[in-house]
Amino acid sequence: MRIAIQGELGAFSHEAALRMVPRCTVVPCARSAEVFDRVARGSVGGAVIPIENSLAGSVAEHFDLLLSRDVFVQSEFQLRIVHNVIATPGVKFADLRRVFSHPVALDQCREFFRRYPKIEPVAFYDTAGSVKHVVEEGLRDAAGIAARHAASVYGGKILKAGIEDNKQNFTRFFFIRKIRQVRPRANKTSLAFSVKNIPGALFKALSVFALRDISLSKIESRPVRGRPWEYVFYVDILRGEDEAARNALRHLGEVADLVKVLGVYPTAQGHKGQ
Amino acid sequence: MRIAIQGELGAFSHEAALRMVPRCTVVPCARSAEVFDRVARGSVGGAVIPIENSLAGSVAEHFDLLLSRDVFVQSEFQLRIVHNVIATPGVKFADLRRVFSHPVALDQCREFFRRYPKIEPVAFYDTAGSVKHVVEEGLRDAAGIAARHAASVYGGKILKAGIEDNKQNFTRFFFIRKIRQVRPRANKTSLAFSVKNIPGALFKALSVFALRDISLSKIESRPVRGRPWEYVFYVDILRGEDEAARNALRHLGEVADLVKVLGVYPTAQGHKGQ
């Protein structure tokens, strides 16, 4: 299956795509809107998109696109973000004087730069792109910091693995398709709803879950563009398509202006605190 | 007063700082944690930090730092994000072949690049930094895209102003200080609280506001690092230090594990839908 991602080949999204859809062919896209448009018009079988990071928070643009485009979440996945120093083959670690990467990645590897003060961190616009640059230019004193997969994509060599300061660095990904499909053992539902005039309305909206003992694992408000005092709420509930969830969604329809189920899927194993 | 910002001089935070604290001296810092640490230990009088953008969403790291550091929000401000093409003085618009900026800024100016197909967008790690680079190198065929203020800081010239596609592009900034100070007419409170075991607890927590007709203008959940199933909620309520708010906060203390008031301040004028 052809799977669109936002960003360069070798990016963390590429790694997540291979884990979520084994043997897929990854189609890199420059922009997120392009990723969603390709899925909606069927020029790819699906897409794998980051939705939130445990350190950096939600990817707001992707929530907005899930709401506005005709796509459905099929599964979720938690990827541990592991940063690696990747250089041109033949270059030794002792040769390194500069290491390129995206500023966020450099900032997540401060301990590494403290331990090796001869190596200067240099900001680059992309993690996988930094490895591509170093290898294509054949630089002898430089490396990039990126996902392990960037090494195989661009023919680089990993000189040091796992240099990130915080091991609690996870990104949650969604696999989205055009068709509405619910896997067996789906026990989590992502939905969006809008209400006017908080809090009366928000409190009522949340009561539809509380009254049925349905747990939430995420809630987030987003202002509606150009409409002050109107909000969209993104909520994850820990239920699949059972009777309680159906009743709650019907009840929610009575109190909210708009309700959209973004996907129903099995909870990702492992890191649950998302 | 000396005001710390994250990023280079001439960044949008610099512009916001000058609007929020007239005649301040801006102290640029590479990292956000450094900004907060400087405020907490008193080496600057305060700091101006972006907290959310209408297109990109919340700056999760800044919410986490507001919770963990000993600082207090004094005021909020909504800055319209206006992108400008800035070049070395003497360079004409017709000479431009490349325009550098941060990928997010380039992506917000797609219509500009469609209209001028001879100009290539080139990713750079920072908006203000792209202007600094172009002017310091004296490039004759290139410009940067950045805040208006970057032109005066680096001696560049604005060749085209307001090239962003979406005029509904606002960033909300906080002015933070070490001291707890509440301005007259403060009518908004930002707070954080944590509860276990959603939704019973979240629903109860929100009832303390709903029962007193206190409106919320923001709610967001963040998982607590390393503690699955524990969450921190960031909430803005549309009340200052009146009796209803005091009662609600006392009541919240009964049902939440932790409550921290991040700041009490007057609502920013203008764009209210945040």
Side-chain angles (χ1 to χ4, degrees):
Chain A
M1 192 188 293
R2 282 159 52 84
I3 298 293
I5 64 166
Q6 189 278 320
E8 304 254 17
L9 287 176
F12 287 105
S13 291
H14 189 164
E15 198 156 319
L18 293 174
R19 300 284 287 275
M20 297 182 84
V21 190
R23 292 181 301 281
C24 67
T25 303
V26 168
V27 180
C29 301
R31 293 170 50 246
S32 296
E34 188 188 338
V35 171
F36 280 76
D37 289 343
R38 276 173 169 275
V39 174
R41 71 167 185 263
S43 81
V44 292
V48 167
I49 53 158
I51 200 73
E52 58 187 318
N53 173 266
S54 56
L55 305 180
S58 292
V59 184
E61 184 186 9
H62 291 177
F63 277 105
D64 293 346
L65 286 164
L66 283 172
L67 177 57
S68 64
R69 306 303 161 99
D70 193 18
V71 299
F72 198 78
V73 180
Q74 314 279 319
S75 64
E76 68 168 357
F77 183 74
Q78 295 279 2
L79 183 72
R80 244 296 302 283
I81 299 299
V82 178
H83 290 304
N84 306 283
V85 178
I86 304 173
T88 307
V91 171
K92 290 197 200 93
F93 187 77
D95 300 336
L96 299 181
R97 291 295 171 271
R98 292 174 298 158
V99 170
F100 298 90
S101 198
H102 190 279
V104 171
L106 295 174
D107 196 52
Q108 293 181 349
C109 302
R110 294 174 57 78
E111 191 45 52
F112 169 83
F113 289 104
R114 206 163 6 228
R115 193 176 309 167
Y116 302 103
K118 280 185 188 158
I119 300 178
E120 184 198 1
V122 182
F124 204 80
Y125 86 96
D126 187 75
T127 55
S130 73
V131 172
K132 185 182 180 188
H133 171 71
V134 163
V135 175
E136 284 184 356
E137 303 286 320
L139 302 182
R140 310 302 301 175
D141 67 342
I145 291 178
R148 197 170 55 84
H149 198 62
S152 55
V153 169
Y154 299 111
K157 191 171 169 229
I158 296 176
L159 294 182
K160 259 198 203 316
I163 64 159
E164 70 284 357
D165 300 332
N166 190 334
K167 307 298 173 192
Q168 297 293 321
N169 189 345
F170 289 87
T171 298
R172 180 186 177 205
F173 287 86
F174 278 164
F175 169 40
I176 57 172
R177 299 193 71 182
K178 192 179 165 60
I179 53 167
R180 188 189 196 288
Q181 194 172 27
V182 178
R183 296 185 181 191
R185 286 188 298 166
N187 57 359
K188 197 169 177 182
T189 301
S190 289
L191 55 106
F193 62 87
S194 73
V195 293
K196 286 198 190 81
N197 198 345
I198 298 166
L202 171 62
F203 191 65
K204 267 189 201 163
L206 293 183
S207 76
V208 311
F209 305 115
L211 293 172
R212 292 172 180 90
D213 291 326
I214 295 176
S215 288
L216 274 61
S217 61
K218 178 188 178 72
I219 180 169
E220 191 162 326
S221 65
R222 289 269 298 150
V224 178
R225 284 186 204 177
R227 294 203 220 160
W229 305 117
E230 257 182 78
Y231 294 83
V232 174
F233 295 87
Y234 292 99
V235 167
D236 290 345
I237 63 171
L238 296 175
R239 287 293 179 108
E241 288 193 311
D242 61 11
E243 197 185 341
R246 267 194 300 275
N247 289 338
L249 289 174
R250 192 185 316 116
H251 189 173
L252 182 61
E254 296 171 35
V255 300
D257 294 329
L258 168 155
V259 179
K260 183 182 176 186
V261 174
L262 306 175
V264 185
Y265 50 88
T267 302
Q269 295 305 304
H271 180 65
K272 298 207 173 183
Q274 285 294 302
Chain B
M1 192 189 293
R2 283 159 51 83
I3 297 293
I5 64 165
Q6 190 279 320
E8 303 253 18
L9 288 177
F12 288 104
S13 290
H14 190 165
E15 199 156 320
L18 293 175
R19 301 282 288 274
M20 298 181 83
V21 189
R23 293 180 301 281
C24 67
T25 303
V26 168
V27 179
C29 301
R31 293 171 48 248
S32 296
E34 188 189 338
V35 171
F36 280 76
D37 289 343
R38 275 174 170 275
V39 174
R41 70 167 187 263
S43 80
V44 291
V48 167
I49 53 160
I51 200 74
E52 57 187 319
N53 173 266
S54 57
L55 305 180
S58 292
V59 184
E61 185 186 9
H62 291 177
F63 278 105
D64 292 347
L65 286 164
L66 284 171
L67 178 58
S68 64
R69 306 303 160 99
D70 193 17
V71 298
F72 197 77
V73 180
Q74 314 279 319
S75 64
E76 68 169 356
F77 183 73
Q78 296 278 1
L79 183 72
R80 245 295 304 281
I81 299 299
V82 178
H83 290 304
N84 306 283
V85 178
I86 305 172
T88 307
V91 171
K92 292 198 200 91
F93 187 77
D95 300 337
L96 298 182
R97 291 295 171 271
R98 293 173 297 156
V99 170
F100 298 90
S101 198
H102 190 280
V104 171
L106 295 176
D107 195 52
Q108 292 181 349
C109 303
R110 295 175 57 78
E111 190 45 50
F112 169 82
F113 289 104
R114 205 161 8 225
R115 193 176 310 165
Y116 303 103
K118 281 186 187 157
I119 300 178
E120 183 198 2
V122 182
F124 204 80
Y125 87 97
D126 187 74
T127 55
S130 72
V131 173
K132 185 182 180 186
H133 171 72
V134 163
V135 175
E136 285 186 354
E137 304 286 320
L139 302 182
R140 310 300 302 174
D141 66 342
I145 292 178
R148 197 171 53 85
H149 197 61
S152 56
V153 168
Y154 300 110
K157 189 168 170 232
I158 296 176
L159 294 182
K160 258 197 204 316
I163 63 159
E164 70 284 355
D165 300 331
N166 190 334
K167 306 299 172 190
Q168 297 293 323
N169 189 345
F170 289 87
T171 298
R172 181 187 178 205
F173 287 86
F174 278 165
F175 170 40
I176 57 171
R177 299 194 71 183
K178 191 179 164 60
I179 54 168
R180 188 189 197 289
Q181 195 171 27
V182 178
R183 296 187 180 189
R185 287 190 295 166
N187 58 359
K188 196 169 178 182
T189 301
S190 289
L191 55 105
F193 62 86
S194 73
V195 293
K196 287 197 190 82
N197 198 346
I198 297 166
L202 171 62
F203 190 66
K204 269 189 199 164
L206 294 183
S207 75
V208 312
F209 305 115
L211 293 171
R212 292 172 180 89
D213 291 326
I214 295 175
S215 287
L216 275 61
S217 61
K218 180 190 175 71
I219 180 168
E220 191 163 326
S221 66
R222 290 268 298 151
V224 177
R225 284 186 206 175
R227 293 203 221 160
W229 305 116
E230 256 182 80
Y231 294 83
V232 175
F233 295 88
Y234 292 99
V235 166
D236 289 346
I237 63 172
L238 296 175
R239 288 293 179 108
E241 287 191 312
D242 61 11
E243 197 186 340
R246 267 194 301 276
N247 290 337
L249 290 174
R250 193 186 315 117
H251 189 173
L252 182 60
E254 296 171 35
V255 299
D257 294 330
L258 168 155
V259 179
K260 184 182 176 187
V261 174
L262 305 175
V264 186
Y265 50 88
T267 302
Q269 295 305 303
H271 180 66
K272 299 208 170 180
Q274 285 292 303

